Amino acid sequence: MPEPDTGPDKTAYEALDASARDYREESGQVGRLLEIMARLRDPESGCPWDIEQTFQSIAPYTIEEAYEVADAIERGDISELEGELGDLLLQVVYHSRIAAELGHFTFREVVLSVCEKMIRRHPHVFGTENRDKTADDQVRDWENAKAGERASSETGGGSVLSGIAVGLPALTRAAKLQDRASRVGFDWPDASHVLGKLSEEAAELADARGTPEHAAEEFGDLLFSLVGLARHLGIDPESALRSANSKFVRRFGSVESKIARSGRSLEKASLEELDAAWDEAKLEE
């Protein structure tokens, strides 16, 4: 059961606020942001909506802000990216403030923790290890370091797959699950073997179409195999699907414009006309 989010009394708030002011002297605008959050969460003079929020209620906004950062990057909108990164930082400050009110940890401790982690996982930069390694070598070392941390963690568990968040997007989680399993040799030898598995899964899906539950299971297996193919081709499946979504929106918008210029509505256009407009949109790109 999660702990109830009951905050401290006014004295404890004043102590937290003093800590935020001290941090402002060290870190400028970051400290100012901590002060703003302290004001928003003040039980006597803060914002009623902000005061009511908990880890659980804020978590969906945290996920949403991360997606908006990814969206700005996908669209190449650097100006918007600046604002979205600020919104994402606010989420970190928000969760840290709630944790501090409950006596768990502060924003300062969050920063210290990630600093220590980055130093610990980069001994080739901050230690004495040789830097003469490829990017793949560095990724492998990073994952080995994470595996060691999981093994020593009280909550890490004994499974190779422990620690991969259930709340990740399904395609991303599938890729991480497969990548983790591949490190102990549980993987297809190469992309050609995955293609064979795709054919097998597609056939099983075709056989299962009469039963919705079975079809859903086989469709999931097919998607999981597609993620495996993406990994072997060096493709991030989540990014690839986001790009495909953007391309569809762009091309469909072109179809809408073409049909509108002909004086007709999409509903009245024939499938042949829609296909022809789609093909034109593809050629224009």
Side-chain angles (χ1 to χ4, degrees):
M1 292 288 291
E3 293 188 52
D5 287 339
T6 55
D9 59 19
K10 182 65 176 176
T11 302
Y13 267 90
E14 290 172 348
L16 287 170
D17 295 351
S19 175
R21 284 191 292 274
D22 291 341
Y23 193 85
R24 181 177 181 180
E25 293 178 3
E26 301 171 16
S27 304
Q29 295 305 313
V30 174
R32 184 183 181 206
L33 180 57
L34 294 175
E35 284 190 42
I36 290 170
M37 179 54 63
R39 288 283 303 277
L40 291 173
R41 291 278 296 178
D42 188 290
E44 294 182 5
S45 59
C47 169
W49 185 89
D50 287 288
I51 294 168
E52 291 179 359
Q53 300 315 302
T54 66
F55 290 131
Q56 292 77 14
S57 66
I58 289 297
Y61 297 101
T62 308
I63 295 170
E64 180 182 340
E65 296 298 352
Y67 276 121
E68 290 181 357
V69 167
D71 180 64
I73 293 171
E74 184 75 25
R75 292 183 287 103
D77 191 333
I78 300 302
S79 176
E80 187 168 334
L81 177 60
E82 177 186 350
E84 297 300 349
L85 286 172
D87 292 343
L88 187 58
L89 175 59
L90 177 64
Q91 295 299 307
V92 177
V93 169
Y94 217 131
H95 286 289
S96 299
R97 177 70 192 192
I98 295 173
E101 292 169 2
L102 297 173
H104 298 318
F105 56 80
T106 66
F107 179 81
R108 183 192 294 270
E109 290 167 321
V110 171
V111 174
L112 289 173
S113 176
V114 73
C115 286
E116 291 172 358
K117 180 190 297 183
M118 295 305 290
I119 292 171
R120 184 172 65 249
R121 292 186 181 176
H122 292 82
H124 56 293
V125 175
F126 301 102
T128 58
E129 280 195 9
N130 190 352
R131 292 184 65 253
D132 188 19
K133 297 180 181 180
T134 66
D136 288 340
D137 291 335
Q138 303 296 355
V139 170
R140 185 168 57 252
D141 289 349
W142 175 276
E143 292 300 333
N144 288 337
K146 288 173 64 177
E149 291 167 9
R150 285 194 301 273
S152 62
S153 170
E154 294 181 356
T155 59
S159 173
V160 170
L161 304 181
S162 295
I164 300 177
V166 176
L168 287 171
L171 288 177
T172 298
R173 187 163 192 262
K176 287 184 176 294
L177 290 169
Q178 293 183 27
D179 186 59
R180 188 76 66 78
S182 73
R183 296 199 187 99
V184 295
F186 192 74
D187 197 3
W188 292 288
D190 52 49
S192 64
H193 287 76
V194 189
L195 288 169
K197 184 64 175 176
L198 284 175
S199 298
E200 176 187 327
E201 296 294 353
E204 291 179 2
L205 177 58
D207 292 338
R209 284 181 298 176
T211 308
E213 294 81 3
H214 190 195
E217 179 183 352
E218 295 299 343
F219 183 73
D221 291 345
L222 180 59
L223 279 178
F224 197 79
S225 297
L226 278 169
V227 170
L229 178 60
R231 282 194 316 107
H232 279 273
L233 295 177
I235 297 168
D236 174 45
E238 193 74 29
S239 296
L241 185 55
R242 279 202 306 269
S243 295
N245 288 341
S246 297
K247 180 169 63 177
F248 180 81
V249 170
R250 185 174 64 250
R251 289 180 178 175
F252 193 79
S254 179
V255 169
E256 289 177 312
S257 297
K258 292 177 187 301
I259 298 300
R261 285 197 297 270
S262 71
R264 308 186 62 191
S265 66
L266 288 175
E267 293 78 8
K268 295 296 178 63
S270 67
L271 180 58
E272 289 75 15
E273 289 175 301
L274 294 173
D275 280 340
W278 179 268
D279 289 339
E280 284 183 34
K282 288 174 62 177
L283 288 174
E284 289 171 356
E285 292 186 356

